[in-house]
Amino acid sequence: MVANVTSMDEQAEVVRGIELPEHLRLIRQPIPRPLRHLARAGFRGYGMATASWRPAPDFLVIGAKKAGTSSLINWLMSHPAVARPFPHMQGLKSPHYFDINYWRGARWYRSHFPSARSRHRQQRRVGADTVVGEASPYYMFHPAVPGRVARDLPHVKLIISLRDPVARAYSNYWDRVAAGTELIESFEAAIAAESSRLDTVDASRLLSDPHYYSAHHDNHTYLARGRYVEHVASWLERFPRRQVLVVRAEDMFDDPVVTFLEVQRFLGLPALERSSLRTYNQRRRPPIDPDTRAWLADYYRPYNAALYAAIGRDMQWEATYPG
């Protein structure tokens, strides 16, 4: 049994995928789930039949998990010059093509994006070029994804949000508990079990077999996902630095307006200034044990140092570490 949550350092505000505009929520709400599934299949079939009319995405938000990717993609989808995925009513954050569904092929992937004609209509309406993209935090961590993206979308822009790996790991655990994919009763026991869980993963098949999926690799990699340099390096080897924006998640949480302006400039969007921006997918959780926090701080120090050297930026996480 998972420990009761008796205190919190976050408000519970969870939106899976992309938040729908009010008029789409009102339309979708009374539709029975079986009819929704049927409509989704019909839209996907139409999208695949018209895939050649649908340009590939301009940007990907690739991670890290629990580092604000849901907030970033929702902020972007609220921008008038950012086109929503197809169909709008589905509210997908990502089709998980490059990590889980690569075997479905390029036509299936393109079926999730608006047509060139639709984007042109939007451009005329807003008076600016439009962009479209998606967000999957598994993209940064899955070892096959950088090569797949480099081959299929060599000119795509990449947004990487990185959060203090100590806080990220702890948040990740409670997120998996809430999602029902983590049954180990404590964070400490889960990170102790991580190595043995990963021993069951066939690393060569992750790289070579698009049909292969490991639930442990996807859901139970609390320590591994925070060794950012191991994952970011694979992207920096394949993409020029001008196509990569690294965002510090703490800056995004503390001053979302400034961070969003930076993201808009990177994507070439007209600057849209807002007085406030919601933070998405925060969850209730108890405070971390101080001894566990100290252990994690020591664990991540060398990985953080290597990351700072790789990206040419000090993320200043150590300022909050004990000792």
Side-chain angles (χ1 to χ4, degrees):
M1 194 115 181
V2 175
N4 289 329
V5 179
T6 57
S7 62
M8 68 175 129
D9 59 4
E10 296 178 340
Q11 295 297 316
E13 190 68 65
V14 178
V15 173
R16 292 295 181 189
I18 298 167
E19 186 176 36
L20 294 175
E22 181 65 22
H23 71 284
L24 289 181
R25 285 202 300 270
L26 291 174
I27 294 171
R28 177 176 169 170
Q29 193 171 2
I31 301 175
R33 189 178 296 271
L35 285 181
R36 257 187 267 166
H37 289 318
L38 190 63
R40 187 179 305 162
F43 279 124
R44 191 59 51 230
Y46 174 74
M48 290 182 68
T50 56
S52 59
W53 305 343
R54 301 177 182 278
D58 304 287
F59 70 89
L60 301 175
V61 181
I62 64 173
K65 192 173 184 66
K66 302 309 297 177
T69 58
S70 290
S71 295
L72 275 176
I73 195 65
N74 273 284
W75 297 348
L76 284 166
M77 290 301 165
S78 68
H79 194 291
V82 177
R84 283 182 167 257
F86 175 81
H88 299 350
M89 196 179 292
Q90 194 167 349
L92 277 181
K93 178 179 174 180
S94 172
H96 289 283
Y97 174 63
F98 291 104
D99 47 15
I100 297 172
N101 291 306
Y102 197 63
W103 59 273
R104 294 183 184 273
R107 293 187 68 82
W108 181 87
Y109 183 50
R110 289 200 179 217
S111 76
H112 291 83
F113 300 103
S115 67
R117 181 179 296 180
S118 173
R119 289 181 62 173
H120 183 62
R121 286 198 300 267
Q122 185 172 351
Q123 286 172 192
R124 289 205 312 268
R125 190 166 61 249
V126 303
D129 289 342
T130 60
V131 298
V132 68
E134 51 131 334
S136 169
Y138 197 25
Y139 281 177
M140 190 176 80
F141 183 62
H142 193 296
V145 171
R148 292 170 179 173
V149 175
R151 181 171 58 249
D152 295 353
L153 304 176
H155 304 297
V156 76
K157 290 188 175 182
L158 305 168
I159 302 173
I160 304 174
S161 178
L162 301 178
R163 179 184 182 184
D164 166 23
V166 175
R168 193 222 67 81
Y170 192 59
S171 179
N172 192 175
Y173 168 77
W174 286 105
D175 181 73
R176 294 299 83 202
V177 168
T181 61
E182 179 56 88
L183 302 179
I184 291 182
E185 63 183 9
S186 74
F187 174 61
E188 290 75 13
I191 59 176
E194 183 169 327
S195 178
S196 61
R197 283 169 152 179
L198 288 180
D199 284 343
T200 69
V201 179
D202 189 333
S204 64
R205 286 191 66 194
L206 274 176
L207 284 167
S208 63
D209 183 357
H211 288 86
Y212 179 68
Y213 172 78
S214 166
H216 282 324
H217 189 269
D218 188 2
N219 294 300
H220 304 136
T221 40
Y222 310 113
L223 295 177
R225 282 181 184 255
R227 298 195 295 265
Y228 298 133
V229 67
E230 297 176 0
H231 323 306
V232 171
S234 294
W235 292 92
L236 296 182
E237 288 168 3
R238 293 172 169 87
F239 289 88
R241 196 64 178 82
R242 67 179 180 276
Q243 287 178 228
V244 182
L245 176 67
V246 177
V247 174
R248 186 175 179 269
E250 290 79 7
D251 295 338
M252 185 173 69
F253 299 145
D254 292 343
D255 198 342
V257 174
V258 170
T259 299
F260 189 41
L261 285 172
E262 180 185 18
V263 170
Q264 291 173 87
R265 284 194 297 271
F266 174 67
L267 295 178
L269 293 168
L272 180 69
E273 294 198 44
R274 294 184 170 180
S275 58
S276 64
L277 290 162
R278 282 182 60 190
T279 299
Y280 290 78
N281 285 7
Q282 294 178 304
R283 291 191 181 277
R284 297 172 182 269
R285 64 186 187 219
I288 190 171
D289 181 271
D291 290 338
T292 302
R293 177 173 169 75
W295 182 88
L296 286 170
D298 287 340
Y299 176 84
Y300 280 120
R301 276 193 179 94
Y303 296 107
N304 290 350
L307 171 73
Y308 302 165
I311 65 175
R313 179 181 178 185
D314 186 342
M315 304 296 270
Q316 301 180 336
W317 293 319
E318 284 72 19
T320 66
Y321 289 176

